[in-house]
Amino acid sequence: MENIQTFVNYLQSQQTSQAYLLHCYKKINCPDAETKSYENCNAFIYYLNHGNKFYQQGKQSEPFMQPILYFYGMVHLIKACLLTQRPNYPESTNLLAHGVTARKRKKKDYTFLKDEVKVQHNGLFPYFSEHLYHQAIPFEKQSMESLLATLPEMNALFQFHQQQRVVPVGKWNSPLLTFPIRILDSFHLTDKAFIQRIQPFLPKIKYYDCDQEILRMEVVEPITKINGPFFIHGQTKELYFPTNREDYLPIHEVMVHYLLLYNLSMLCRYETEWWGDLFVSKADIDFPFIIHFLELTANKVPLLLGSNLYERNTD
């Protein structure tokens, strides 16, 4: 964690950012790597600076305003990451759109947890999903509750609400995993079919065995690169996996935060009455989930995106 923040600070000069971009562009065989690294280093620095400033301002602001600040902070950091892989970004004006839409009119009995966002074919969301995380988006729309349920740090709130949506199954930097056997029942899969389902997201599985309660497995090397449907708890470094098939989202955690922050920022900007009532009356269960998520995303997203930059330097 400290190394990541130190590295991001290190990049905020023309000399260091140009050398870093040159390193990145050579790795992707960019034909004019040196020229592009000079052309992009200032924009790269500004994306990092602007992103960090939005997050700093967000942490100093009331939660009432935080979704807008965190969302645009995240957008700037994503653009910095994209410049390391796409020297000509943005290639077209289509990429300047958010790539997601929310419901235009809210129903009378609206609740945030049941709300949905819809993914667009063009725009930043599908673009960074493809070029940063090499992932096709496996859904057209997704609910806020399912997105929140994937995040390990939200698990305690769901448990207070008499639900357990994810369970710890291993640790970062360990090759061992253990799954409650009830997960296989929820997914309607045999042990072999379940292993086939999760193998693409793990190092090669060395062996496995199971009994009536636990499915155990060992992979050939410690798990250090985490991707959905596995998510990592920022504090405990435990790996979590969904207990229900409906919450199975094989996407990167940054994509989850983007969708949640997009919708929250839209509510903050355009649903004035509902957003105001949320903070005045605190009548709905939405309030604790939103507040807890804002506390989580403020610290986790800069680390996840900073890790993206750091790993490219060490490859």
Side-chain angles (χ1 to χ4, degrees), residues 32-70:
D32 49 354
E34 187 157 4
T35 300
K36 281 296 178 183
S37 68
Y38 279 105
E39 288 179 0
N40 289 338
C41 67
N42 281 340
F44 179 73
I45 293 169
Y46 291 145
Y47 284 144
L48 290 179
N49 284 339
H50 291 178
N52 287 333
K53 286 177 180 177
F54 273 112
Y55 275 99
Q56 289 166 9
Q57 288 298 313
K59 291 177 181 180
Q60 295 169 15
S61 301
E62 294 292 325
F64 188 87
M65 289 296 297
Q66 286 176 346
I68 298 174
L69 296 168
Y70 292 155

Side-chain angles (χ1 to χ4, degrees), residues 47-100:
Y47 284 144
L48 290 179
N49 284 339
H50 291 178
N52 287 333
K53 286 177 180 177
F54 273 112
Y55 275 99
Q56 289 166 9
Q57 288 298 313
K59 291 177 181 180
Q60 295 169 15
S61 301
E62 294 292 325
F64 188 87
M65 289 296 297
Q66 286 176 346
I68 298 174
L69 296 168
Y70 292 155
F71 179 68
Y72 284 105
M74 182 180 196
V75 165
H76 280 89
L77 295 183
I78 286 172
K79 289 178 178 179
C81 292
L82 282 170
L83 267 188
T84 69
Q85 299 302 293
R86 307 293 293 174
N88 296 311
Y89 174 80
E91 293 94 326
S92 74
T93 54
N94 287 339
L95 302 180
L96 301 179
H98 296 313
V100 190

Side-chain angles (χ1 to χ4, degrees), residues 132-194:
L132 291 185
Y133 302 112
H134 312 293
Q135 291 190 315
I137 301 161
F139 50 80
E140 181 181 342
K141 58 185 178 180
Q142 195 58 247
S143 77
M144 301 297 98
E145 183 174 352
S146 288
L147 291 167
L148 287 169
T150 65
L151 304 176
E153 294 87 348
M154 300 297 298
N155 192 41
L157 262 69
F158 280 102
Q159 287 182 312
F160 294 148
H161 195 46
Q162 310 306 314
Q163 298 177 10
Q164 186 173 30
R165 306 288 285 268
V166 291
V167 290
V169 296
K171 278 263 193 179
W172 182 81
N173 209 25
S174 167
L176 303 177
L177 293 166
T178 57
F179 298 84
I181 208 73
R182 70 177 188 276
I183 289 180
L184 276 64
D185 297 332
S186 171
F187 279 72
H188 307 298
L189 295 172
T190 63
D191 52 357
K192 290 183 179 179
F194 180 74

Side-chain angles (χ1 to χ4, degrees), residues 291-307:
I291 292 299
H292 194 66
F293 169 72
L294 289 172
E295 292 172 354
L296 163 64
T297 196
N299 295 304
K300 198 169 188 184
V301 165
L303 284 175
L304 289 170
L305 291 170
S307 177

